[in-house]
């Protein structure tokens, strides 16, 4: 430690302290920059806590009583997905390439996950809440959605898929 008056110039802080303050500031700025880039340039989204539902009755009340895809026109879709031990309803969603799909996912029992491979969709699915994220499918192919929160003995078998068709059509 250097407590000489010369060392306490500037902020009046110890040189070590001053160094750590500078490091903290640089880190803060770096985090702000990365969050800004992720949010605005890379399109990262935070899963929205869209609404609250009663997990005991949600499967019987619209729109969840008919889970699945809705075509809003102009390539816009919404998909209502119910999660339960150990499946997703629906477990297959088919859209044409270029489709923009907003997923609304909720659980009827315990906490699940909803990770859509090869996209930046990765949500916790908490009973009582609706998780919402939007993704645009620019490439045809099959995108599996998997449960990535341990939810019981059948957890590893819990998955579904989005089929993105090269030709317009879909269902
Ligand atoms: Cu559902 Cu793990």
């Amino acid at each position: 430690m250097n407590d000489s008056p010369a060392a306490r110039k500037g902020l009046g802080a110890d040189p070590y302290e001053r160094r750590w303050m500078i490091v903290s500031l640089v880190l803060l700025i770096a985090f702000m920059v990365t969050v800004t880039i992720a949010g605005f340039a890379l399109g990262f989204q935070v899963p929205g806590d869209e609404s609250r539902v009663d997990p005991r009755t949600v499967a019987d009340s619209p729109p969840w009583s008919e889970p699945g895809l809705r075509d809003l026109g102009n390539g816009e879709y919404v998909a209502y997905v119910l999660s339960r031990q150990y499946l997703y309803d629906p477990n297959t969603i088919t859209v044409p390439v270029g489709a923009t799909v907003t997923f609304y996912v909720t659980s009827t029992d315990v906490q699940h996950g909803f990770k859509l491979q090869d996209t930046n969709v990765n949500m916790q699915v908490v009973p009582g809440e609706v998780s919402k994220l939007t993704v645009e499918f620019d490439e045809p192919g099959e995108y599996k959605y998997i449960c990535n929160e341990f939810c019981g003995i059948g957890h590893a078998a819990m998955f579904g898929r989005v089929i993105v068709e090269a030709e317009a059509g879909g269902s």
Side-chain angles (χ1 to χ4, degrees), residues 24-169:
S24 317
L25 266 180
V26 167
L27 279 177
L28 263 183
I29 292 166
F31 292 150
M32 280 162 64
V33 168
T34 51
V35 168
T36 305
I37 292 172
F40 291 97
L42 302 177
F44 279 50
Q45 309 160 64
V46 177
D49 177 10
E50 182 61 16
S51 59
R52 297 197 168 266
V53 291
D54 185 337
R56 291 163 298 185
T57 57
V58 64
D60 301 319
S61 29
W64 303 100
S65 47
E66 280 182 64
L69 195 70
R70 312 278 195 275
D71 186 349
L72 305 182
N74 296 321
E76 302 271 338
Y77 296 82
V78 292
Y80 295 97
V81 181
L82 277 176
S83 314
R84 58 166 59 102
Q85 287 167 318
Y86 300 99
L87 53 85
Y88 292 108
D89 187 8
N91 65 7
T92 306
I93 293 169
T94 306
V95 294
V97 70
T100 299
V101 183
T102 300
F103 292 90
Y104 294 87
V105 190
T106 194
S107 168
T108 59
D109 41 39
V110 300
Q111 179 169 324
H112 298 278
F114 186 87
K115 176 171 169 51
L116 189 56
Q117 287 174 338
D118 301 326
T119 71
N120 57 19
V121 172
N122 186 359
M123 306 189 282
Q124 280 187 313
V125 181
V126 179
E129 294 182 14
V130 179
S131 300
K132 173 194 176 191
L133 270 180
T134 300
V135 63
E136 191 177 333
F137 293 98
D138 291 328
E139 297 285 336
E142 192 175 305
Y143 301 73
K144 282 205 168 64
Y145 42 93
I146 59 168
C147 182
N148 57 353
E149 297 274 345
F150 183 75
C151 53
I153 196 162
H155 160 71
M158 184 167 171
F159 67 92
R161 63 203 174 129
V162 177
I163 298 168
V164 180
E165 293 181 325
E167 299 294 301

